[in-house]
Amino acid sequence: MNNMFDLTGKVAVVTGASSGLGRDAALCYADYGADVALLARRKEKLDEVAREITAKGRKAIPIVCDVTDEHSVEKAVAEVVEHFLKIDILLNNAGVAIMGTVDQLSEADWDTSMEVNVKGMYLMSKFVLPHMRKQRYGKIVNLASINAVVADKGYELARHAYNTSKAAVRGLTMGMAATYMEENITVNSIGPGLFESEMTIDSLFKHEDFIKLYNQLTPASRHGRKGELNGTIIYLSSDASTYVTSQHIIVDGGFTSV
Ligand SMILES: NC(=O)c1ccc[n+]([C@@H]2O[C@H](COP(=O)([O-])OP(=O)(O)OC[C@H]3O[C@@H](n4cnc5c(N)ncnc54)[C@H](OP(=O)(O)O)[C@@H]3O)[C@@H](O)[C@H]2O)c1
């Protein structure tokens, strides 16, 4: 039987592959047969992920890349293509979540939020797309957040720059999807709910009251478990979703539906 989720022979590029959801996704891509280019700033962490992928019998290349820097992105994408000769999948996952309201955030923190979370996706897509267009095949998956559509009440957990940047990811996804589908390139986004990661462990998870409330308000009565985002990532990255583009799939145990 033809397995439409199989990624054997595909090349995936994952940004923010050094930790959290990006690291998990990179390992899962390898489990589904893909070779993976791992991009982030921390080389030692990327090396660890690369070793794990190699141990699974797949190829991995760790590449130091700052997604906010055009030269760094251009160089990284060129290195991927030199190494693997093509790119089939781009997981735009690198992100930062700087806490603060508009009257607390410094201009620098605002700019960093937009540069990593939005400009990073634009730059990665800009340099990857010519390779996808040439082969008339590509799957782009952008990590947004439920925080594109819901915010946290009050001051303590407010992340106004994050809300703004993640809402922008939806706009970018829609625009790109409408343009590139005729070249057989799908562009979709994912809105995760709450998952443990470097981003959330020292901020959201240390607020016990918040976690209790989140669990109470979530139909699943819990936050997301390690690996629970991967099914959606593989679906949107594989031939199981050839006619699916411009969609936003929320993976939050029902949090935003009640
Ligand atoms: N965890 C959640 O609950 C949750 C919920 C909704 C959405 N998300 C989204 O999921 C994505 C992954 O987040 P996570 O939770 O896995 O957090 P994480 O563990 O902090 O991962 C963020 C990744 O982004 C990379 N990164 C940050 N700035 C970068 C830059 N300038 N250039 C290249 N890479 C950069 C980091 O690597 P280096 O530091 O090594 O560069 C790291 O690998 C983010 O887009 C986040 O907004 C997460």
Side-chain angles (χ1 to χ4, degrees):
M1 193 181 62
N2 179 28
N3 179 356
M4 60 179 81
F5 296 96
D6 185 19
L7 300 179
T8 305
K10 304 287 189 206
V11 173
V13 175
V14 179
T15 70
S18 57
S19 66
L21 303 174
R23 180 186 197 283
D24 289 349
L27 293 167
C28 191
Y29 278 138
D31 286 336
Y32 276 74
D35 294 327
V36 192
L38 307 160
L39 276 56
R41 293 163 305 173
R42 289 171 295 174
K43 176 77 164 64
E44 328 73 60
K45 296 241 172 212
L46 294 178
D47 287 342
E48 272 171 39
V49 187
R51 275 194 293 275
E52 282 189 54
I53 290 177
T54 309
K56 291 174 185 286
R58 300 293 163 198
K59 296 188 187 114
I61 174 174
I63 302 176
V64 173
C65 173
D66 181 341
V67 296
T68 68
D69 176 342
E70 178 158 21
H71 178 65
S72 177
V73 171
E74 185 174 17
K75 211 165 132 259
V77 172
E79 197 176 331
V80 179
V81 174
E82 196 184 315
H83 193 84
F84 287 129
L85 306 176
K86 63 168 186 163
I87 297 173
D88 302 299
I89 299 162
L90 169 61
L91 183 68
N92 273 320
N93 162 82
V96 290
I98 300 175
M99 308 295 290
T101 60
V102 283
D103 58 331
Q104 293 167 338
L105 284 163
S106 67
E107 188 179 0
D109 282 346
W110 178 270
D111 288 346
T112 300
S113 306
M114 297 306 153
E115 289 197 359
V116 180
N117 297 356
V118 186
K119 183 180 165 189
M121 288 192 186
Y122 144 69
L123 286 176
M124 284 301 306
S125 305
K126 173 176 172 167
F127 288 102
V128 165
L129 270 161
H131 301 287
M132 291 182 166
R133 292 181 66 201
K134 205 161 55 189
Q135 65 185 10
R136 294 188 74 81
Y137 182 90
K139 310 290 289 181
I140 299 180
V141 182
N142 296 329
L143 261 290
S145 166
I146 54 168
N147 291 124
V149 291
V150 289
D152 295 295
K153 184 178 167 185
Y155 276 85
E156 200 173 20
L157 296 174
R159 285 164 294 164
H160 292 175
Y162 188 68
N163 296 137
T164 311
S165 67
K166 291 302 181 178
V169 171
R170 282 299 302 130
L172 179 65
T173 302
M174 242 167 39
M176 285 172 59
T179 301
Y180 301 115
M181 186 61 183
E182 68 180 22
E183 289 168 286
N184 201 27
I185 297 164
T186 65
V187 188
N188 293 287
S189 59
I190 301 179
L194 184 61
F195 286 79
E196 271 185 40
S197 71
E198 286 182 11
M199 178 181 283
T200 53
I201 204 74
D202 289 330
S203 52
L204 304 182
F205 276 94
K206 80 175 183 212
H207 292 272
E208 281 177 25
D209 290 350
F210 168 78
I211 297 298
K212 219 165 129 188
L213 185 64
Y214 180 91
N215 292 344
Q216 267 169 16
L217 292 174
T218 303
S221 302
R222 61 174 177 81
H223 58 80
R225 294 190 181 120
K226 191 174 169 59
E228 280 190 312
L229 205 60
N230 287 341
T232 307
I233 292 175
I234 297 297
Y235 166 61
L236 293 176
S237 303
S238 68
D239 289 342
S241 58
T242 47
Y243 198 53
V244 178
T245 199
S246 198
Q247 297 308 299
H248 181 56
I249 301 185
I250 291 193
V251 184
D252 69 349
F255 178 82
T256 51
S257 67
V258 292

